[in-house]
Amino acid sequence: MAARGASLTIAAMNTSTSSSAIPSNEGTTPLLPRIVVLATGGTIAGAAASATNTSGYQAGVIGVEQLLAVVPALSTVARMESEQIASVDSKDMAMPLWTTLAQRINTLLADDEIDGVVVTHGTDTLEETAYLLHLTVKSDKPVVLTAAMRPASALSADGPLNLLNAVTVAAQASSRGQGVLVAFNNKIHSARDVVKTSTYAVDAFHSPEIGALGWVQDGRVEFQRGVVRPHTLATEFVIGATWPHVEIVVSYAGVSRIAVDALVAAGVRGIVVAGTGNGSIHASVQQALADAASQGVAVVRASRVGSGHVMRNGAAADDALGFVSAGSLNPYKARVLLMLALAAGATGPVALQKIFDTY
Ligand code: SIN
C-alpha cells in the first residue's frame, strides 16, 4: 500500500509522494479501482491500555498505514493509497480541517487515475463532516466516510470490517453520483440523513425515518433507494478558507435569553436554535431571536427531537419573525448548511429558506 505523506499535522501534509509503490494487477484484467484512504483520527484509530477497555482510550493515535495493514483483504478490493490528514478526536473537529479535507478530496478526485476516496473519522462529529463534504465535493466519484465505536485495540474491534466495507463501497461503480456516503456496520447511509444515535452500540448510525440507502456485506454492495436532493456537483457551494460565525442554542424549560444576547453581542452571523418538538421555542428565547433577526442575524429553527421535520410557520410565525425552518436537518447539519449559505453570499430569510428547502 502506498502512503501519500506520513505527517500527523495538517500543515505538514505531504501530498506529493509518488504512486510507484502501488500494487498493480497490470497484465491481468481489469485493474482494480484505485482508492485513497484519508485518515483524520477517531476511535477507529484509537488505542486503550487493555483489550477489554472500550471507553477509556485515546482516539486518533494509530497511523493510517497500520489501520490498513491489519486488513489484508483490502488489496483484493482496490489498489490502496493512504494519507494521514490529521489525528484528532472528532469532538475537536474544526473548520480549518474541514477546508483542508474537502480541498484534498477535490484535488484527488480531479485526478483521472483516482477512482474514489474513503475518509476515516471519529463518530462524534462524523455526520457534520459528511454533510459538509456532501455539499462541497466537486466530483461524482464515490466519497465514503467510516469510523468505529470500539478502539483498534479492543476485543471485537469494529473498525477493520467498517474500513473494508467502506473501501468496497468506494470501489463500486454503483456508488458514483450518490453524493457522500457513510458505510457503517454493514449499512450505507446518505451523508444528508445519517446521524449518530448511540453512545456505545456498534450499530450507532441511523437515518431516522428515511432509512439507509443500502447495505454492504462480504464484498457485495446493494443500493435500495437513491438520493433525491442535490449534492456535490449540483450545489452552489465551494469550500473556502473563511467560515461565517454560526452558533447553536437550545430551547428548554426555564431557558433565558442570555445566550442569544451574548452571541449577538459577539457578532455572530447566524444562530440555529434546537427547539422543542416542531421547532417551538421558549418565549424568552424566541423574543431574543426575533430581536437578533431584526438586526440581520440569520435565525434557523431546527428541532432537538432527533427525527421528523420542522414545518415553516408551524410552531413559530417564521414570516413575521424573520426565521428560517431547517426542515428535516438536525441542528448540527443545519449549522453546516447555514455557514455555507452565508459564505456563498445568501442573505435574508427568503433566500436562506430556499436553500434549506433545496438541500
Ligand atoms: C471521535 O469522535 O473521534 C471519538 C469517538 C469515536 O470515534 O467513536
Side-chain angles (χ1 to χ4, degrees), residues 149-237:
M149 289 299 286
R150 296 176 182 153
S153 54
L155 277 177
S156 300
D158 52 332
L161 184 57
N162 282 344
L163 178 59
L164 178 61
N165 283 338
V167 171
T168 302
V169 173
Q172 282 287 318
S174 58
S175 301
R176 267 185 105 118
Q178 308 257 25
V180 171
L181 302 170
V182 173
F184 201 89
N185 200 40
N186 293 104
K187 298 276 175 39
I188 307 166
H189 297 270
S190 168
R192 185 186 190 278
D193 306 323
V194 72
V195 294
K196 183 175 178 179
T197 55
S198 174
T199 58
Y200 73 99
V202 171
D203 192 15
F205 284 86
H206 292 91
S207 297
E209 298 201 32
I210 197 163
L213 288 178
W215 52 264
V216 49
Q217 185 179 12
D218 299 347
R220 186 181 156 94
V221 173
E222 190 171 308
F223 287 93
Q224 293 162 322
R225 68 173 178 89
V227 179
V228 173
R229 290 181 185 243
H231 53 76
T232 53
L233 291 166
T235 79
E236 62 219 75
F237 309 117

Side-chain angles (χ1 to χ4, degrees), residues 32-329:
L32 291 173
R34 191 165 151 194
I35 303 296
V36 183
V37 175
L38 302 180
T40 67
T43 294
I44 192 168
S50 83
T52 52
N53 187 342
T54 59
S55 61
Y57 58 87
Q58 201 178 341
V61 292
I62 295 176
V64 65
E65 287 183 68
Q66 219 177 320
L67 293 185
L68 270 60
V70 299
V71 192
L74 287 169
S75 63
T76 68
V77 175
R79 290 174 292 151
M80 302 298 301
E81 293 186 50
S82 60
E83 294 178 14
Q84 192 77 46
I85 296 286
S87 294
V88 295
D89 185 321
S90 81
K91 71 179 175 56
D92 296 323
M93 183 54 64
M95 278 84 87
L97 179 50
W98 274 350
T99 300
T100 301
L101 182 62
Q103 286 177 340
R104 186 67 191 133
I105 292 171
N106 281 330
T107 301
L108 285 167
L109 294 183
D111 181 343
D112 290 342
E113 300 295 318
I114 304 289
D115 296 300
V117 166
V118 167
V119 178
T120 59
H121 199 285
T123 60
D124 287 348
T125 57
L126 182 145
E127 68 205 58
E128 295 167 57
T129 300
Y131 188 48
L132 179 273
L133 296 174
H134 190 64
L135 296 172
T136 57
V137 164
K138 295 302 167 199
S139 172
D140 70 349
K141 294 178 187 173
V143 175
V144 184
L145 277 75
T146 196
M149 289 299 286
R150 296 176 182 153
S153 54
L155 277 177
S156 300
D158 52 332
L161 184 57
N162 282 344
L163 178 59
L164 178 61
N165 283 338
V167 171
T168 302
V169 173
Q172 282 287 318
S174 58
S175 301
R176 267 185 105 118
Q178 308 257 25
V180 171
L181 302 170
V182 173
F184 201 89
N185 200 40
N186 293 104
K187 298 276 175 39
I188 307 166
H189 297 270
S190 168
R192 185 186 190 278
D193 306 323
V194 72
V195 294
K196 183 175 178 179
T197 55
S198 174
T199 58
Y200 73 99
V202 171
D203 192 15
F205 284 86
H206 292 91
S207 297
E209 298 201 32
I210 197 163
L213 288 178
W215 52 264
V216 49
Q217 185 179 12
D218 299 347
R220 186 181 156 94
V221 173
E222 190 171 308
F223 287 93
Q224 293 162 322
R225 68 173 178 89
V227 179
V228 173
R229 290 181 185 243
H231 53 76
T232 53
L233 291 166
T235 79
E236 62 219 75
F237 309 117
V238 288
I239 197 73
T242 54
W243 293 87
H245 189 175
V246 175
E247 299 279 358
I248 299 172
V249 297
V250 184
S251 189
Y252 48 87
V255 63
S256 78
R257 59 177 291 158
I258 293 173
V260 172
D261 288 343
L263 290 175
V264 173
V268 291
R269 299 268 318 276
I271 298 175
V272 175
V273 55
T276 40
N278 177 25
S280 56
I281 310 167
H282 190 288
S284 60
V285 174
Q286 179 161 305
Q287 186 56 56
L289 289 169
D291 294 345
S294 70
Q295 293 172 52
V297 176
V299 175
V300 175
R301 279 193 310 121
S303 175
R304 65 181 207 180
V305 166
S307 71
H309 53 262
V310 168
M311 287 294 288
R312 182 165 179 82
N313 291 318
D318 294 311
D319 288 343
L321 297 169
F323 294 171
V324 172
S325 157
S328 55
L329 290 178

Side-chain angles (χ1 to χ4, degrees), residues 335-352:
R335 174 176 172 266
V336 168
L337 181 55
L338 183 54
M339 284 191 292
L340 290 174
L342 293 172
T347 51
V350 174
L352 288 170

